[in-house]
Amino acid sequence: MSDPDSHHVEEQLAKLDFLVVSELFMSETARVADVVLPAVSYAEKDGTYTATDRRIQLSHKAVEPVGEAMADWWIISQLSKRLGYSMQYNHPSEIMDEVAKVTPIYGGISYKRLENNSLRWPVPSNDHPGTTILHGEKFTRGLGMFHVIEHRPPAEETDAEYPLILTTGESYSTTTQAQ
């Protein structure tokens, strides 16, 4: 529903041989899926979230899942197991530990560190405070890389009859916690 050209999405989904959806509700996409895996809401799962501002935060389950709904990490690990690659996790904290082990920018992140504060990656070590500003002096690749592109006008322009441009997007807000 967030894509402004839902007809295009429907056409592309119809081309699939097999569609599996992990969904909380019977959405429009779930209605056309061959299999719907019962996911849980944010309030029914433990885990970490990385926001677009690079903030990693911990979330605790507020209520138990309803019916047959399962957490995303459990669904993915069960699918993986059935496809021949065993992912043995008992809790999402074990997944965060593995991410920290194999991803240098998450190297110093753990559930324990996230209990009272969020962190912004990169956090390369356990004693690193996190990186508030990522590119303060220069980009990680030097001064940056720019490419010239030709202007392409929008597919639809405004006119007297339709003077507005409607677009989809996200709205973000930031909160801070007292220490």
Side-chain angles (χ1 to χ4, degrees), residues 69-138:
M70 300 303 281
D72 304 331
W73 68 270
W74 188 88
I75 290 172
I76 291 170
S77 66
Q78 293 301 306
L79 280 173
S80 179
K81 178 180 171 182
R82 285 165 173 78
L83 291 170
Y85 182 78
S86 182
M87 295 173 72
Q88 297 293 325
Y89 301 111
N90 295 307
H91 190 269
S93 63
E94 296 171 10
I95 298 168
M96 184 71 254
D97 292 343
E98 183 174 329
V99 169
K101 183 178 175 183
V102 300
T103 310
I105 62 172
Y106 282 74
I109 298 171
S110 66
Y111 262 48
K112 184 177 180 181
R113 286 197 70 194
L114 293 172
E115 273 302 332
N116 297 314
N117 294 302
S118 61
L119 294 165
R120 285 194 173 108
W121 63 259
V123 185
S125 64
N126 291 334
D127 59 349
H128 191 280
T131 307
T132 305
I133 299 172
L134 186 58
H135 301 293
E137 305 275 329
K138 63 179 182 174

